[in-house]
Amino acid sequence: MGDERSQRLDDALSSLVDILVPKLHNEDEATADERHDDALDLARSIIEGAVSDVNHAADLIKKKRERLEGQAPPAIVLRDNDSPDKAVQFSNLYARLLTQPVLSQKWSILYLLHQLADSTPFGDNLSLNGEPQPDSGGARLRERKQSQDDQVFQDAFASPGLSRLPTHESQRRAPFASAVPEERKSRNRDRKRFEGTHRAEGGSEKEIGKEFSEAALLRDLPFTLQGISSNNLPFSSLTTLDLPAQLPLPIISLLNTLAEPSLLYRNLSDFVERRDEGLIGQSLRSAISNELRSYLGLIATLEGEIRRAFTTSDNNDQQGRIGKAGVTLKRCVIWTREATMGLRLMSLMTEEAKKRKGGQLISMIHSFSTSHGDPFVGAFAERMLSHVTRPFYDMLRQWIYDGELSDPYHEFFVHEQDSQDHSEDPRRAPATSVWEEKYRLEETMIPSIVTEEFARKIFLIGKSLNFIRYSCGDSAWVEAYCKEASKELRYGDTATLETSIDNAYKATMARLIYLMDDKFRLFEHLNALKRYLLLGQGDFIALLMESLSTNLDRPAGSQYRHTLTAQLEHGIRGSNAQFDSPDILRRLDARLTEMEKGDTGWDVFTLEYKVDAPVDVIINPWANRQYLKIFNLLWRVKRVEFALGSTWRRCITGARGVLAAVDAKTNKDWKSARCCIAEMIHFINQLQYYILFEVIEASWDRLLAAIHKPDCTLDDLIEAHTKYLKAITHKGLLGSSRQNNTTGHREDVFTVQLHELLKTMLAYKDAVDGLYSFSVAEFTRRQELSAKIETRTAQGGKSGTLTEKDDEDLNSPSPFTAKPPALGEDLDSPFPIPLLSRNTDDNMLPALRKRLNELSTDFKTRVNNLLGDLAVQPDADMKFLAVVMNFNDVYAPRKRRREHHKGGGGEKKTPAAQTETAKGGKTAPTVPPATAQEEKGKGKEEQGGAAAKGAAKGSRGNVK
């Protein structure tokens, strides 16, 4: 156990001597080992010669206190211990030390403290240059003539190390104790002399040592950080800083780091001084300018620290040791690190700002806040946005409270179009252009701080306020609303912004809908359009058609507007329409569309309903054309219904009178005719019911539900009305189209088929009228013959005998055959004109039968084609129409064959397409039933249907 303790003690002493004993220059290894062994022996003798008595060590400390009482300088252990309280305190501490079982070397601790009492404090033996000086405490102890062992121990544990060796080696102590400090002092004096010589000769401080070069760089650093050139750190260009090549590599690395904020500051200063064409761009420059002023404040603080450090070093005569005062290049790098990050971010923003403006610029800055994980970057971007977004929120406030767009540089996401930018769309009315064309939403300019849905709501608010002010003439309400609701908007106050937008949206939309309903009576106009142009007012339409039928049968050239207007007034006064508002009735007018050769009054007559601004935002020219298109179809269907009804009544009443007399000759013909007419009437009734109730009424209910929603806007009204008209035109057999492989054009499938069906029905009605006229003529001829027989019988002649003259009279042309009816002069005749000019009934009746059979077959073929097309439609209502028309499967619906090659055979031709129609026995060319031209001679109207032709004429707008 003792050997192990001795070994550990020897190892500790050897390590201590290695640390404390300095190595001398030009000393051989043997001499150094000898000095090391002597010092180790001295340390062993001190430790072994000491008496380990705790009480003795305490007495030594007390005696030292009594001896040093009132003297200076005081000791470490009992420093300033000149009061009895200190003595009592030492006694207490000594007693507590003795009671500590953990400390086994109590004597060693007290003896160490006793010896340290005579040593100087740490650092007192250092010169201004940091070089160790001879121990002054050791000299004082030598003057007091203490024992040699105590003196050696005190020298060994002094802070600068051993200053001397034992007395028997005094000759070797001189180089160890005094030679080294003197050598260092001489080197310092030579360096100062060298530096003074260089300054006198104008030498550069870059060629001096490291410490002085750092001091010179620190003097120039505030100027460099501001982008100002100096003697040591000049700027050769806007983006280049020249560094001295003679400096050490670590200094160059630090200067490279400090050069970054310098160059960034120069670039940012140049960016701020340039002019920007944009309020948000100017706001960005202002925000960057504020950050640069904060950066200059940091530079001013740094310059003050550098000057204070230089002043402190001058007062302490420590030239070139400015680092001891707390300012170095490395510390400057640390102090400017956060400012450098800010400058770097602003530099990135300025580079991106060159390609963006307005909302795009705000989105770019906002992306740093939302998509960057560094809290410093997010906070910096938020601080920038609070300044940059001020012009944006000013524009936003004026837009949502005044309805005015204050955006001279087109930075807001709402753009006001110039008058020449308005498209020449015929759908646009004056008020429509104000609502839909004056402003448009630029989705690319919507900043990321605003969602797209929120932006559309903002766009609608301002547009509605502008519409209320200028189109509705209610600027007083807008001004009052602005004064009452206007609030300041700023970035970061999201709750206030959302509340303001929601309140403005509700107030503006409610006011606009109120004006359209109460002041401008929008819903009354929509109802009037439904009742008059969509034939919802049945008694008015029936009376109007009955009063106009005589006039409309004449050619279009003989129609006059004042006549039609008078009949319109008659229809209004004779129906329930007379109880409507005078404002509604004065808007209803009769007009004639542009006419073509061969047109009749039925082809050019139409009704018109006029609306004024701002209602024409909803009932625009496009909507008027759709109403005209639907009216023309319904008017033609109503005309066919009226014509078939008249013929049906004539047939039923004639069956009990005139037709009964010739029943034997035309019984089968009239039975077939009545069945076919009933079939046509059923088709017309089902078609009218479908269009008026299944299509129009159902669409009207959806329109009312849409426009009476609590949060309905004007855009919602326009959209609902557009859907309403599109649903009617599509489901009303006016909107479906297909590609014609022959012509290459698109054509309305159902419009063409309905037009051909209606023409066939009218032609069949005329043929039935011809059969009726033939029956009347036959009845008249038989009545005349019976009268002659009765007359001769009464005169006493040959009873019941006919002479040759009587046979000639019976075979003479009847009034019907001698003078063809006026209908024969029209090109719409149901049977060829040569047929009417025949002089014998033997040829006339077969021609009528053939004509009726052909038209009946043509009608059924076209109905089969129509039902086949309806059955494959995706719309359920259109499929239901096919079911209703063929509820008892009397028809055989079929899909029409498509054309497989150019100029090839298409659909099967019907017999009616090959009938003789021209004067002089000429035959018309055969055409498919779905693409047949009207048989009015001279090619008056191409395929496309009466309804389509009427809509096209209505769009020409030529009123007679």
Side-chain angles (χ1 to χ4, degrees):
M1 186 69 177
D3 295 339
E4 182 179 357
R5 182 177 181 278
S6 300
Q7 183 65 30
R8 287 190 299 169
L9 182 61
D10 291 342
D11 294 340
L13 288 177
S14 178
S15 300
L16 181 63
V17 170
D18 290 339
I19 295 173
L20 297 179
V21 175
K23 295 181 180 180
L24 301 179
H25 297 286
N26 300 324
E27 184 181 21
D28 55 358
E29 185 176 356
T31 305
D33 292 340
E34 185 178 358
R35 285 195 307 107
H36 181 272
D37 294 339
D38 292 341
L40 186 60
D41 293 339
L42 178 61
R44 284 199 189 97
S45 64
I46 293 173
I47 293 175
E48 294 175 354
V51 179
S52 58
D53 188 356
V54 178
N55 296 326
H56 177 67
D59 292 340
L60 290 177
I61 294 175
K62 291 180 181 179
K63 291 178 181 179
K64 184 179 290 294
R65 173 191 171 278
E66 294 174 356
R67 185 173 62 252
L68 298 179
E69 190 175 19
Q71 298 179 6
I76 294 179
V77 179
L78 298 176
R79 187 181 299 271
D80 298 332
N81 191 13
D82 55 353
S83 63
D85 294 338
K86 296 294 183 180
V88 175
Q89 185 178 5
F90 173 76
S91 299
N92 293 333
L93 293 174
Y94 175 68
R96 292 176 60 186
L97 177 66
L98 294 179
T99 59
Q100 295 293 329
V102 179
L103 303 176
S104 60
Q105 303 293 331
K106 298 181 178 64
W107 171 85
S108 300
I109 295 173
L110 292 176
Y111 193 74
L112 175 63
L113 295 175
H114 173 262
Q115 294 297 328
L116 291 177
D118 291 331
S119 64
T120 59
F122 179 77
D124 289 349
N125 60 333
L126 295 177
S127 65
L128 294 178
N129 292 329
E131 301 294 339
Q133 291 181 345
D135 184 17
S136 59
R140 289 195 298 271
L141 292 177
R142 286 194 301 272
E143 293 174 357
R144 294 169 188 155
K145 297 180 181 179
Q146 294 183 353
S147 64
Q148 186 174 352
D149 294 342
D150 295 341
Q151 185 66 36
V152 171
F153 188 84
Q154 188 265 340
D155 289 340
F157 286 93
S159 58
L162 291 173
S163 58
R164 58 183 173 82
L165 292 176
T167 55
H168 64 276
E169 296 291 335
S170 58
Q171 290 82 6
R172 299 179 184 176
R173 188 179 63 238
F176 173 75
S178 60
V180 175
E182 291 297 330
E183 181 182 356
R184 293 181 180 175
K185 291 181 180 179
S186 64
R187 283 203 305 267
N188 290 339
R189 286 193 298 268
D190 294 341
R191 183 178 62 187
K192 292 180 180 179
R193 189 180 305 109
F194 175 76
E195 293 172 359
T197 304
H198 269 264
R199 288 192 185 96
E201 295 176 357
S204 174
E205 291 185 355
K206 295 185 295 182
E207 299 173 2
I208 308 175
K210 171 176 178 268
E211 298 177 5
F212 288 94
S213 298
E214 185 174 6
L217 294 174
L218 286 172
R219 288 193 188 94
D220 295 339
L221 183 61
F223 302 98
T224 303
L225 292 176
Q226 298 178 63
I228 301 174
S229 297
S230 60
N231 292 332
N232 296 324
L233 301 172
F235 287 92
S236 59
S237 66
L238 184 64
T239 58
T240 305
L241 175 63
D242 295 333
L243 300 180
Q246 295 84 356
L247 292 176
L249 188 60
I251 300 296
I252 293 294
S253 177
L254 293 176
L255 290 179
N256 281 326
T257 306
L258 291 171
E260 182 183 5
S262 306
L263 297 175
L264 291 176
Y265 177 80
R266 286 170 64 89
N267 290 330
L268 292 173
S269 299
D270 181 70
F271 175 79
V272 170
E273 292 174 357
R274 291 199 300 265
R275 183 179 178 183
D276 191 300
E277 294 294 336
L279 298 179
I280 297 180
Q282 294 176 15
S283 180
L284 174 63
R285 281 166 167 75
S286 176
I288 293 177
S289 178
N290 292 336
E291 295 296 332
L292 292 181
R293 281 196 290 270
S294 300
Y295 171 76
L296 292 178
L298 173 64
I299 300 305
T301 304
L302 181 62
E303 184 179 7
E305 291 293 332
I306 294 174
R307 290 183 178 180
R308 191 178 299 108
F310 275 110
T311 303
T312 303
S313 63
D314 291 341
N315 294 337
N316 294 336
D317 194 20
Q318 294 184 0
Q319 300 291 341
R321 302 286 295 177
I322 191 173
K324 296 297 182 180
V327 179
T328 61
L329 288 177
K330 192 168 187 179
R331 288 189 177 182
C332 291
V333 170
I334 297 174
W335 290 341
T336 59
R337 178 175 299 173
E338 186 173 337
T340 303
M341 292 180 63
L343 293 173
R344 193 181 300 141
L345 283 175
M346 289 189 291
S347 178
L348 292 175
M349 293 177 185
T350 55
E351 290 296 327
E352 295 294 331
K354 297 177 181 178
K355 301 178 291 185
R356 292 176 173 86
K357 70 173 185 176
Q360 298 173 346
L361 192 57
I362 296 177
S363 299
M364 180 268 296
I365 301 175
H366 187 249
S367 64
F368 286 96
S369 174
T370 57
S371 61
H372 205 287
D374 192 343
F376 171 80
V377 176
F380 187 86
E382 291 289 325
R383 187 168 66 250
M384 292 286 291
L385 282 174
S386 62
H387 294 279
V388 175
T389 56
R390 287 177 183 174
F392 172 80
Y393 281 103
D394 289 341
M395 291 184 240
L396 179 62
R397 185 188 60 80
Q398 290 186 346
W399 177 250
I400 65 173
Y401 291 125
D402 294 336
E404 298 290 344
L405 183 61
S406 177
D407 184 21
Y409 300 105
H410 305 293
E411 298 176 293
F412 199 54
F413 57 82
V414 178
H415 178 59
E416 182 176 4
Q417 302 186 90
D418 298 332
S419 57
Q420 57 267 22
D421 294 340
H422 295 168
S423 60
E424 298 297 334
D425 191 347
R427 290 180 54 181
R428 309 304 185 199
T432 308
S433 62
V434 172
W435 178 257
E436 297 186 3
E437 297 293 339
K438 185 175 182 180
Y439 299 104
R440 60 184 173 87
L441 182 64
E442 287 286 347
E443 296 183 356
T444 58
M445 297 297 290
I446 299 177
S448 57
I449 60 176
V450 178
T451 62
E452 185 174 353
E453 180 181 359
F454 207 58
R456 293 187 181 279
K457 185 180 290 187
I458 293 171
F459 172 69
L460 191 58
I461 291 173
K463 189 168 67 168
S464 300
L465 287 173
N466 190 276
F467 187 78
I468 292 173
R469 182 192 295 270
Y470 295 106
S471 298
C472 299
D474 196 9
S475 58
W477 180 87
V478 176
E479 294 175 358
Y481 165 75
C482 178
K483 293 179 181 179
E484 177 184 358
S486 180
K487 296 179 181 179
E488 182 182 1
L489 304 176
R490 62 181 181 274
Y491 177 75
D493 195 358
T494 307
T496 302
L497 177 62
E498 292 181 354
T499 303
S500 301
I501 296 298
D502 290 339
N503 294 337
Y505 182 80
K506 293 178 182 178
T508 305
M509 295 303 107
R511 181 63 181 179
L512 182 56
I513 297 301
Y514 168 77
L515 290 175
M516 298 299 290
D517 183 18
D518 186 74
K519 182 177 180 180
F520 300 106
R521 304 187 179 278
L522 170 65
F523 304 136
E524 292 186 8
H525 293 313
L526 292 176
N527 191 24
L529 284 167
K530 174 179 173 291
R531 287 189 291 113
Y532 294 116
L533 267 63
L534 303 184
L535 309 191
Q537 191 75 26
D539 57 341
F540 165 75
I541 297 299
L543 183 58
L544 180 64
M545 183 165 289
E546 184 178 354
S547 61
L548 285 174
S549 60
T550 305
N551 292 330
L552 296 181
D553 285 335
R554 298 197 299 265
S558 61
Q559 304 294 328
Y560 298 97
R561 190 178 179 188
H562 64 273
T563 304
L564 301 179
T565 304
Q567 296 297 333
L568 177 63
E569 293 292 337
H570 170 70
I572 292 175
R573 290 193 302 268
S575 64
N576 288 331
Q578 60 182 320
F579 302 108
D580 278 345
S581 171
D583 180 66
I584 298 295
L585 296 178
R586 71 176 179 83
R587 298 176 183 273
L588 189 62
D589 192 14
R591 54 175 287 190
L592 296 174
T593 60
E594 183 178 355
M595 65 184 65
E596 296 179 0
K597 188 176 181 180
D599 286 345
T600 62
W602 294 103
D603 298 321
V604 296
F605 172 79
T606 187
L607 288 181
E608 181 183 25
Y609 189 86
K610 302 176 182 179
V611 293
D612 301 327
V615 180
D616 57 356
V617 171
I618 299 175
I619 309 173
N620 49 41
W622 175 84
N624 286 329
R625 289 198 306 276
Q626 299 304 309
Y627 278 114
L628 180 60
K629 187 177 181 180
I630 300 169
F631 172 79
N632 285 334
L633 174 64
L634 293 175
W635 181 254
R636 291 176 181 273
V637 172
K638 207 72 175 177
R639 173 200 176 186
V640 172
E641 180 194 29
F642 178 77
L644 291 178
S646 301
T647 301
W648 179 261
R649 287 192 299 270
R650 182 184 299 177
C651 293
I652 296 302
T653 55
R656 295 191 295 268
V658 176
L659 301 182
V662 294
D663 186 66
K665 192 173 185 178
T666 60
N667 182 28
K668 293 183 179 180
D669 299 327
W670 278 111
K671 184 178 180 180
S672 300
R674 283 193 294 268
C675 290
C676 188
I677 290 177
E679 199 172 324
M680 293 179 178
I681 291 175
H682 172 265
F683 178 86
I684 288 295
N685 289 338
Q686 293 301 326
L687 180 62
Q688 283 193 100
Y689 170 81
Y690 168 75
I691 296 177
L692 293 178
F693 293 96
E694 297 293 339
V695 176
I696 296 179
E697 288 297 334
S699 301
W700 176 257
D701 291 340
R702 288 192 292 269
L703 174 63
L704 292 180
I707 64 181
H708 286 100
K709 288 182 179 179
D711 55 346
C712 182
T713 65
L714 189 58
D715 278 336
D716 294 336
L717 288 179
I718 297 173
E719 183 179 2
H721 185 249
T722 303
K723 289 182 178 179
Y724 166 69
L725 293 178
K726 287 183 177 180
I728 294 176
T729 54
H730 175 69
K731 293 185 177 182
L733 311 182
L734 292 172
S736 300
S737 61
R738 69 176 180 182
Q739 187 77 23
N740 191 318
N741 295 331
T742 303
T743 62
H745 301 290
R746 299 192 66 84
E747 61 182 14
D748 294 333
V749 179
F750 297 117
T751 303
V752 173
Q753 295 185 65
L754 284 178
H755 171 62
E756 296 298 330
L757 274 170
L758 295 178
K759 283 201 309 177
T760 302
M761 293 179 191
L762 289 177
Y764 193 85
K765 174 257 181 188
D766 292 338
V768 172
D769 288 344
L771 180 61
Y772 185 83
S773 300
F774 173 81
S775 300
V776 171
E778 181 66 20
F779 174 77
T780 303
R781 189 168 61 84
R782 292 188 179 187
Q783 289 294 328
E784 291 179 354
L785 180 60
S786 298
K788 288 184 178 181
I789 294 174
E790 292 177 358
T791 301
R792 290 186 179 184
T793 301
Q795 293 177 354
K798 296 179 180 180
S799 175
T801 303
L802 295 178
T803 63
E804 295 180 0
K805 185 176 181 302
D806 294 330
D807 292 337
E808 293 177 1
D809 293 336
L810 289 175
N811 294 327
S812 64
S814 63
F816 171 72
T817 58
K819 183 180 180 181
L823 185 60
E825 300 174 358
D826 191 0
L827 296 179
D828 275 336
S829 173
F831 42 87
I833 292 178
L835 181 65
L836 294 176
S837 62
R838 297 179 185 269
N839 296 327
T840 61
D841 55 352
D842 294 336
N843 295 330
M844 179 178 295
L845 185 57
L848 286 173
R849 289 173 179 171
K850 181 180 178 181
R851 178 65 173 171
L852 290 173
N853 290 333
E854 290 176 350
L855 292 175
S856 176
T857 304
D858 189 15
F859 170 76
K860 292 181 180 181
T861 302
R862 295 183 183 279
V863 171
N864 288 332
N865 292 335
L866 177 63
L867 296 181
D869 290 341
L870 289 175
V872 297
Q873 292 299 311
D875 188 79
D877 293 334
M878 300 179 74
K879 290 183 178 180
F880 180 73
L881 174 62
V883 174
V884 170
M885 289 184 174
N886 193 26
F887 67 95
N888 55 356
D889 292 333
V890 68
Y891 300 108
R894 62 178 180 177
K895 294 179 65 176
R896 300 188 299 179
R897 293 175 298 182
R898 301 184 181 276
E899 301 170 2
H900 296 284
H901 59 277
K902 186 175 180 180
E907 301 171 0
K908 184 178 180 180
K909 300 178 177 59
T910 57
Q914 303 178 9
T915 307
E916 295 179 358
T917 56
K919 295 180 181 179
K922 295 182 180 179
T923 57
T926 58
V927 292
T931 58
Q933 298 181 355
E934 289 189 68
E935 298 177 7
K936 291 187 177 181
K938 302 181 182 180
K940 176 201 61 163
E941 185 181 21
E942 293 183 357
Q943 61 185 7
K949 183 172 78 79
K953 289 182 179 181
S955 63
R956 298 168 189 166
N958 295 331
V959 180
K960 194 172 180 179

